[in-house]
Amino acid sequence: MTATSPRRLLTLGINASFHDSAAALMVDGEVIAAAEEERFTRVKHGKRPVPFTAWELPYHAIDFCLKEAGATLGDLAHVAYSFDPRRFLGDRAPDGRFTLPLQPSDFEAGPWENPWDPLFAAYVMSAPRLLTDAVPHHLRKRFAGVRHADAPYRWHFVPHHLCHQASAFLAAPFSSCAVMTLDGRGEQASTCYGRYRDHRYEALGEVHVPHSLGLLYERVTSHLGFLHSSDEYKVMAMAALGTPRYADLLREHLVVDADGQYRTLPLDLTARFGPARVPGSAMGEAYLDLAASLQDVLEETALRLAVWLRERTGEDRLAMAGGVALNCVMNSRLRDAGIFREVWVQPAAGDAGTALGAALWVDALARSGQADRGTDTSTDGTVLLAERRWQMDHAYLGPAYSDEEIEALLQWAQLRYRKVENVAAETATLLAGNKIIGWFQGRMEFGPRALGARSLLASPVDPAMQARLNELKDREDFRPVAPAVNREDLADWFEPAEANGGESPFMLFVYNVKPGRGERIPSALHTDRTARVQTVDAATNPVFHDLLQAVGERTGVPVLVNTSFNVRGEPIVGTPKAALEAFFSTPLDALVIGSFILEK
């Protein structure tokens, strides 16, 4: 930047309060980078959502975002943190002080839900200091020279669900829409509604904890022997194997009221449904039926809330976020119900996406000259925002690695490899030969889905391929894998192909296989003959698009099964080194990384 050039408006968004720590960076109204901390530290979800980890900021993800912009911490104009501790505290610490019990057993019921909530609040309140003072030594270069006392940027605590909302309506391809976020919890809210029109956001109300669809799903996830705030997607997959015979019992504990409100009543899962499943034990019929019942009631409730929101807003498009919005079966029920003409879900819909939403919200305020206004608009009020300069057409916002960087690592590790001119053609030949491929290309995806940048790929033609992939990833037998297909080929294989403008780029909706096609792609289908489809566009991922086309030319089936490049309990690979480690520690047949192919 020259002495006369205008200063760039850099806005950093941070999520760190619960889990899925992440950072996102905007420059002059455009998102240039976003990444989750887990891809750098190799700790799944970045950390567990307990009060003791609230101090940990996503330093590695922040460092990457700053590097992508050629910036340092001192170049930022705004830092937006996706949780408002003042809203969480309320009037529970009027003098700015609170006490902690030396032992949890010493805790007496009072204004706090649990004995460690004050510690959680203190850590979040300290986030501005932790950003400058707790940086790991090996990352200090891009954080150097900034002290909390005289930081050049403006710090913003933005309500958690407002960040979820903003991550949807300020990223969606809609100029106007209804907005709904379904989540576990924020400071107080679990569900939030709004409307976006004419660059204005209008908050339309929220549901408060303990009433929460997300927390209900978490509780049942734990009862079924899985890790809450992590494994809810497994319960969704289990649901297809069961019968919803417990749905009426669950409905007794979930009451939908008027004006988008609902109540989750006390529920003793053991008394109602028997003992909790021991993790790793057999998956009995009762557990499968409980999963099916939970999924059925969730979908019914979401439909009822959507009907109210459609009537309240008058909008015919819906933008969604929040962890529950990662439930692709529920999303598909909403899509197919005809309540809204189009339904769009932000691909990092969980808490990682609140880093994006925080940055989008504060940037829109700053560019409209409102950087000094309060950010608490989560219950009522209308805010005029700056005109949008960006929409989320893809999720490839993470790090990329050049062929020079990759080859230097391969040579240093003394590995045998070959460099190819046409990656798509060479890889298609391997896939046509029933090989399983580790695929590492371009910029890493933001969000939990592998979308053809950090993927494991295989042909769906072999009926045994799903079992091979589940064994390779050391994951449960009932878990499906998802098909990827070029956008222009969607209508030949799946339906309803016309829904949502014929696009499903983020693997967040399920489709039915067309009659006569299922026999050609048996490993791409779930037990109920549905598939969580990803459509691939030549404009956003040309290499993956070319690969699908080349596979179709060789096999007659332009479809690949696509699952994340990781094994159970580990994050998706984020670096060439992590990709090599995964390749050599699993029975993968080949690794295609940049322009290089390694085979066993």
Side-chain angles (χ1 to χ4, degrees), residues 293-314:
S293 302
L294 174 68
Q295 181 66 32
D296 204 44
V297 172
L298 171 69
E299 293 170 20
E300 289 177 3
T301 305
L303 287 174
R304 294 180 66 180
L305 299 178
V307 168
W308 168 80
L309 184 60
R310 174 71 171 87
E311 295 173 350
R312 176 68 177 81
T313 63

Side-chain angles (χ1 to χ4, degrees), residues 424-481:
E426 296 275 356
T427 307
T429 299
L430 293 172
L431 290 164
N434 217 29
K435 303 290 187 181
I436 300 177
I437 305 298
W439 178 257
F440 188 107
Q441 300 290 325
R443 295 189 69 174
M444 182 177 67
E445 304 92 338
F446 181 51
R449 305 280 190 251
L451 300 171
R454 307 288 184 271
S455 293
L456 297 181
L457 303 175
S459 169
V461 175
D462 181 1
M465 184 55 73
Q466 179 184 346
R468 283 181 62 191
L469 284 165
N470 282 339
E471 180 184 12
L472 184 153
K473 297 188 67 171
D474 186 30
R475 67 181 198 172
E476 297 85 357
D477 293 341
F478 63 82
R479 300 271 298 279
V481 289

Side-chain angles (χ1 to χ4, degrees), residues 59 200 237 242 432 576:
Y59 295 107
R200 295 177 183 270

Side-chain angles (χ1 to χ4, degrees), residues 269-288:
L269 291 171
T270 300
R272 281 287 195 173
F273 306 110
R277 173 178 168 264
V278 176
S281 64
M283 192 66 67
E285 181 180 343
Y287 297 127
L288 296 174

Side-chain angles (χ1 to χ4, degrees), residues 383-438:
V383 181
L384 177 63
L385 301 169
E387 185 175 351
R388 288 173 49 184
R389 297 177 178 173
W390 176 85
Q391 71 178 38
M392 198 169 193
D393 299 319
H394 63 81
Y396 308 114
L397 297 168
Y401 297 86
S402 66
D403 276 353
E404 291 74 19
E405 292 174 296
I406 295 169
E407 188 163 28
L409 176 63
L410 297 175
Q411 292 178 348
W412 175 81
Q414 300 182 16
L415 299 175
R416 297 180 59 185
Y417 63 90
R418 56 191 175 94
K419 185 173 184 180
V420 297
E421 292 297 323
N422 191 329
V423 170
E426 296 275 356
T427 307
T429 299
L430 293 172
L431 290 164
N434 217 29
K435 303 290 187 181
I436 300 177
I437 305 298

Side-chain angles (χ1 to χ4, degrees), residues 83 86-90 92 113 160-161 184-191 206-211 378-379:
F83 192 90
R86 296 156 301 192
R87 170 177 275 255
F88 176 75
L89 282 168
R92 292 184 290 191
E113 291 182 30
H160 186 74
H161 268 264
R185 68 167 301 158
E187 301 87 355
Q188 297 170 329
S190 65
T191 300
E206 59 189 31
V207 179
H208 286 184
V209 291
H211 311 297
S378 56
T379 54

